[in-house]
Amino acid sequence: MNIKHERPPIKKSRLENEVILAVVALYFLLSAVMLAIHHLQPEGIETKTSSTSPAHGEISTTDTSEAVTPAATNKTPSAPSR
């Protein structure tokens, strides 16, 4: 038969608790900084990127801010034909 011996519970060390708290604090700090940057960025200024990906190039097909829509192509009202 298997006889199981009771082991005393393993206590977390102070260092482990400090590391966990430091990671959680760092997560909240980074979240707050990114949220602040997001809300403080001036509107209307194009964000620059250092990415070399073709998707982040000058002309992007997924950029919805400059997408051409049928309504946008007819900016001036057409004169009625006679």
Side-chain angles (χ1 to χ4, degrees):
M1 272 194 175
N2 291 336
I3 300 174
K4 294 186 177 181
H5 298 286
E6 294 241 357
R7 291 185 180 177
I10 300 172
K11 293 171 34 177
K12 288 185 179 178
S13 68
R14 272 186 51 180
L15 180 61
E16 184 177 358
N17 289 335
E18 288 179 19
V19 169
I20 291 171
L21 278 174
V23 168
V24 170
L26 183 62
Y27 174 79
F28 281 119
L29 177 69
L30 289 175
S31 298
V33 168
M34 290 191 321
L35 189 64
I37 289 172
H38 173 73
H39 285 289
L40 295 177
Q41 179 179 354
E43 292 198 24
I45 297 177
E46 184 177 333
T47 306
K48 302 293 182 190
T49 181
S50 61
S51 174
T52 58
S53 171
H56 297 150
E58 295 280 329
I59 300 172
S60 177
T61 58
T62 60
D63 188 9
T64 57
S65 65
E66 296 180 13
V68 178
T69 59
T73 57
N74 299 329
K75 290 184 180 179
T76 58
S78 60
S81 60
R82 295 181 188 210

